[in-house]
Amino acid sequence: GRKRLDRLDRHSDLPLRLILVEDCSTDPRVAPFLAAWAEAPERRNQIRLLHNAQNMGFVGAANRGLTEARAHPGDPVILINSDTMLPEGWTSRLLAPLADPGVASVTPMSNDAEIFNVPVICRRGALAPGQADALDRAARLLHPTEGLVEVPTGVGFCMAMAPRFLGLVPQFDRAFGRGYGEETDWCQKTRALGGRHLATPHLFVEHRGGESFGPQAKQRLLERNGAEISRRYPGYDREVQGFIRADPLTTARLALGLVWAAGRQETPVPVYLAHAMGGGAENDLKRRITRDIAAGESAVVLRVGQGHRWRLELHSALGTTKGLSNDTAL
């Protein structure tokens, strides 16, 4: 809607050539709205609006946009879904890691982007009004380069793509039909050509996912296209599971997760100091955390006795994120 486009317009801190692909929406209001928005005097000559004569699905629509973007083959391309809410100053932070010529894609942290999720990996969470901007203000405080993490795949809701690797693999594979899995396929193909895919904790972008298809259609697409990814790349699922177990994004997930917890409840978030010896104290702690979560709140545990000086745990209804550290200052 207008709010999402206006945020893109207002919050971009680098000049953009914007390519909008209107994929023959069934809502008769969409095409005239986009035309009026694109033709506004302050945006005219900056936007290319493409209308599909028939619905091509996400892969077909994205490919049409990628083809148009390749008119400037030296420029990176940012793929943005229509259900993405962009924060202030997002553009430069997303593109900065592409300065490394070996990087093929960059994806930010989000509330609905699988391995990039905050506060719990692969657990989708809705955000209250204003919460995404608060999370992004915290993300800006994280180091722009030291926090970068190599990932098995990017996620196409908001993904920067390097021109070098777009030159090698310029389109998504149409075998993925209406969508889901196409960016994973692109990432695996470009990895085979030497490209690396990064997560940047220096940016948080809200994603209101699933709006294009609805939950049942989305699940069918995920199952079908997930099976195709497994067939093409037999080691991929195992690699993703290994990433989830190790979770190299734990530091960012916890740092942003604490902000997420504080911003979603009116009462203070309890912090429990605990040991790792079990017994009655541990049973009492579990009861307290269960009570907090049942009340719709979060809880933080600072635990000693885990082989490191500290273990920090964030508990919520979405699950638990935890990390070990010997750094008391941290």
Side-chain angles (χ1 to χ4, degrees):
R2 178 177 297 278
K3 184 178 180 181
R4 298 169 197 186
L5 286 171
D6 286 346
R7 285 178 71 92
L8 186 156
D9 200 19
R10 290 196 326 273
H11 292 167
S12 300
D13 61 342
L14 293 174
L16 297 175
R17 283 185 301 275
L18 183 60
I19 300 166
L20 290 175
V21 183
E22 194 283 303
D23 194 24
C24 195
S25 172
T26 55
D27 187 337
R29 298 170 296 178
V30 170
F33 157 70
L34 289 176
W37 190 85
E39 284 298 314
E42 66 272 21
R43 284 183 288 269
R44 196 175 297 150
N45 303 323
Q46 298 177 13
I47 297 175
R48 179 91 165 97
L49 177 58
L50 306 177
H51 292 280
N52 288 342
Q54 60 184 19
N55 184 272
M56 301 172 67
F58 181 79
V59 174
N63 279 348
R64 190 175 180 200
L66 290 171
T67 298
E68 184 76 17
R70 294 298 293 163
H72 301 270
D75 289 349
V77 172
I78 303 174
L79 190 67
I80 302 171
N81 281 17
S82 59
D83 48 13
T84 299
M85 302 286 282
L86 295 162
E88 187 174 350
W90 65 277
T91 326
S92 58
R93 287 181 283 149
L94 184 63
L95 290 176
L98 294 183
D100 181 335
V103 174
S105 81
V106 186
T107 304
M109 305 301 286
S110 183
N111 63 301
D112 186 10
E114 299 297 341
I115 60 173
F116 302 90
N117 282 3
V118 171
V120 180
I121 191 168
C122 294
R123 294 298 298 272
R124 175 186 181 183
L127 297 175
Q131 198 174 8
D133 289 331
L135 284 162
D136 185 64
R137 286 192 294 271
R140 291 186 214 180
L141 302 176
L142 301 178
H143 198 283
T145 57
E146 288 185 9
L148 294 172
V149 168
E150 188 162 350
V151 291
T153 183
V155 175
F157 84 105
C158 179
M159 185 173 78
M161 306 165 77
R164 173 189 165 200
F165 291 96
L166 275 169
L168 297 171
V169 186
Q171 297 271 279
F172 290 135
D173 193 325
R174 289 184 176 275
F176 292 91
R178 296 185 64 206
Y180 295 113
E182 69 286 336
E183 77 271 59
T184 299
D185 180 71
W186 186 88
C187 288
Q188 301 319 299
K189 287 174 177 172
T190 51
R191 282 178 83 190
L193 298 170
R196 293 160 48 234
H197 304 286
L198 298 182
T200 176
H202 195 44
L203 175 64
F204 181 93
V205 176
E206 180 180 4
H207 183 210
R208 300 178 179 180
E211 295 187 10
S212 300
F213 301 114
Q216 292 182 338
K218 176 180 177 178
Q219 187 59 37
R220 288 194 298 271
L221 287 167
L222 285 170
E223 290 173 1
R224 173 190 175 276
N225 292 353
E228 179 62 17
I229 290 292
S230 298
R231 186 189 68 79
R232 293 184 180 195
Y233 310 104
Y236 174 75
D237 292 335
R238 184 171 61 252
E239 182 183 5
V240 170
Q241 291 306 312
F243 183 93
I244 292 170
R245 285 193 299 273
D247 194 5
L249 285 166
T250 294
T251 298
R253 232 180 288 278
L254 278 170
L256 298 179
L258 293 174
V259 176
W260 172 86
R264 65 189 289 268
Q265 60 191 66
E266 295 182 2
T267 57
V269 177
V271 180
Y272 301 106
L273 182 62
H275 56 62
M277 298 170 64
E282 182 67 18
N283 291 335
D284 181 63
L285 175 61
K286 289 178 179 177
R287 283 194 294 269
R288 289 170 183 264
I289 292 172
T290 300
R291 178 197 62 199
D292 295 332
I293 292 174
E297 300 177 352
S298 303
V300 171
V301 176
L302 192 59
R303 192 183 296 273
V304 297
Q306 291 281 301
H308 289 67
R309 186 165 292 171
W310 307 107
R311 183 167 82 174
L312 183 65
E313 305 169 4
L314 175 60
H315 298 261
S316 72
L318 292 175
T320 302
T321 298
K322 54 194 174 187
L324 294 163
S325 179
N326 289 318
D327 186 348
T328 300
L330 173 66

